[in-house]
Each structure stands twice: as C-alpha cells, then as structure tokens.
Amino acid sequence: MKKDHIEIPKPASKFQKVNCNECGELQVVYSHASTQVACNSCGNAIAEATGSKAKINGKVSGSAE
C-alpha cells in the first residue's frame, strides 16, 4: 500500500468502570453517553448526558477494555 505512513486515529471515547456513590455497585458506562445512566440496584444517576462527554457522578475505577 502507498499510504503506510498515515496513522489511523484512535477514538477519544471509551467504556469506563464506575462505582456508584450510594451503594458502591460497579457498572460499565460509556464515556460519551447520550442518555442518563442509572444504577441497577439503587436507581441513583451514575452518568448524565451533556453536549459531548457524559458527566460521571461516581468514582471511575478504570477502563473496561
């Protein structure tokens, strides 16, 4: 191929492991979520949609990849 020198861009978004502030349950959340994400056990809002990146309302404990 002629264009071997062109690098393929990496995405800025990723899946993150987030612990709920209320109950501490671990849940996987997309970093650019377009809807509100609620905790599966207590129903507390873990991520809220903004214009681009989601506002995470819990403790991020790393990448899920």
Side-chain angles (χ1 to χ4, degrees):
M1 298 184 105
K2 288 185 175 183
K3 297 183 180 183
D4 285 337
H5 64 280
I6 299 174
E7 293 185 24
I8 299 172
K10 304 264 191 264
S13 57
K14 55 189 168 186
F15 289 94
Q16 299 173 333
K17 295 179 185 175
V18 179
N19 289 326
C20 179
N21 285 336
E22 298 294 322
C23 63
E25 181 176 332
L26 183 68
Q27 189 167 346
V28 177
V29 177
Y30 188 58
S31 65
H32 288 70
S34 60
T35 59
Q36 182 176 356
V37 179
C39 179
N40 289 336
S41 62
C42 67
N44 188 29
I46 293 178
E48 298 175 8
T50 60
S52 59
K53 285 190 174 182
K55 179 183 173 193
I56 305 294
N57 296 330
K59 182 182 177 194
V60 178
S61 60
S63 177
E65 297 172 2

